Amino acid sequence: MFRPVLRSSTRLLRGTTPASFLSGRLAAYRFLSQEARSQIQKAVTSTPVVLFMKGTPDEPQCGFSRAAIQVLELQGVPQEKLKTFNVLADQELRSGIKEFSEWPTIPQIYVNGEFIGGCDILISMHQSGELETLLENNGVIPKVEETPAQSNSAAPAS
Amino acid sequence: MSTRSIIPGSVELSIREKLTTLLQPASLTITNDSWKHRHHAAMREKDGGNGETHFSIRVVSAAFKGKTPIQRHRMINSALSEEFNQGLHALSLETRTEEEITQASG
């Protein structure tokens, strides 16, 4: 679905000198056409949780993407609220999403259209409990009513 | 483990130099994990997976004070945009301040 729109922006990219491409975020921002940008904007808001990954949830093609999908599964994100895009199947999306998020690596996670981060951030938010709170506050997973355990909650009782 | 090199490569040295300048870190550990990804399709094309494509970076710096994880990662990502452009593929980042380390161990 991204192919036609993104093609024009990649062509532009190829035509630029490496030096101008290096000049950072502002330059990268310009490479993405308005049309491509609005397509991706539509994609990241199409469902509450959007994951751009390598491969599919059943067959991730990269350890970082695998970790990201596992965290989302552990959090109990329901399937109907999660959409994944395989960037390996669409080269234009792969470069487009990096420019859109101004983030150089895959996976990338969005919650209600807001960029959350990559694999490391997702995992550390998972460990700290921030991810659960974020997903609850965004209505992705139901709020747990019981009072959360105090400081020792990080280590589950066995 | 003949594929692992103890001598830092040029990308690693350049990462160290740029992050040292940017963050004036209290500590900076860079580990080249590229060998772990040598079977990774994208990496096979690059020096048989024996190159400098994947790094873990643990950095402690006062420059992270008051910044969210995303902002911290962005600082590093944009400082290394040249490396990303030239084949750096993935960074695993641990970005903390000295206070956060004290809190975590206390």
Side-chain angles (χ1 to χ4, degrees), chain A residues 51 53-67 69-70 73 84-89:
Chain A
L51 174 68
M53 65 182 293
K54 291 181 180 172
T56 61
D58 291 333
E59 286 184 47
Q61 298 295 312
C62 164
F64 299 106
S65 289
R66 184 198 307 275
I69 195 77
Q70 282 175 344
E73 279 169 8
T84 66
F85 289 92
N86 178 5
V87 302
L88 294 181

Side-chain angles (χ1 to χ4, degrees), chain A residues 105-121:
Chain A
T105 52
I106 307 291
Q108 298 183 10
I109 295 98
Y110 280 80
V111 174
N112 281 342
E114 194 197 334
F115 181 55
I116 302 305
C119 178
D120 288 335
I121 289 179

Side-chain angles (χ1 to χ4, degrees), chain A residues 15-147:
Chain A
T16 54
T17 63
S20 69
F21 185 57
L22 295 185
S23 59
R25 294 173 53 185
L26 199 66
Y29 196 82
R30 284 198 304 267
F31 289 133
L32 206 53
S33 72
Q34 199 50 51
E35 204 183 350
R37 180 167 294 279
S38 75
Q39 282 285 326
I40 294 181
Q41 182 63 41
K42 219 178 278 173
V44 302
T45 51
S46 61
T47 185
V49 182
V50 177
L51 174 68
F52 295 89
M53 65 182 293
K54 291 181 180 172
T56 61
D58 291 333
E59 286 184 47
Q61 298 295 312
C62 164
F64 299 106
S65 289
R66 184 198 307 275
I69 195 77
Q70 282 175 344
V71 166
L72 295 177
E73 279 169 8
L74 266 174
Q75 289 287 346
V77 174
Q79 269 188 357
E80 71 272 15
K81 288 183 175 166
L82 169 68
K83 195 165 180 177
T84 66
F85 289 92
N86 178 5
V87 302
L88 294 181
D90 191 333
Q91 193 57 43
E92 280 111 335
L93 173 62
R94 186 173 177 177
S95 56
I97 190 63
K98 290 179 182 178
E99 290 162 34
F100 181 86
S101 309
E102 297 168 39
W103 195 261
T105 52
I106 307 291
Q108 298 183 10
I109 295 98
Y110 280 80
V111 174
N112 281 342
E114 194 197 334
F115 181 55
I116 302 305
C119 178
D120 288 335
I121 289 179
L122 194 72
I123 287 174
S124 73
M125 287 178 75
H126 172 66
Q127 287 166 341
S128 70
E130 287 167 89
L131 184 61
E132 187 175 6
T133 311
L134 178 89
L135 293 172
E136 283 177 357
N137 291 344
N138 278 276
V140 176
I141 55 174
K143 274 203 167 78
V144 180
E145 288 305 326
E146 60 187 310
T147 347

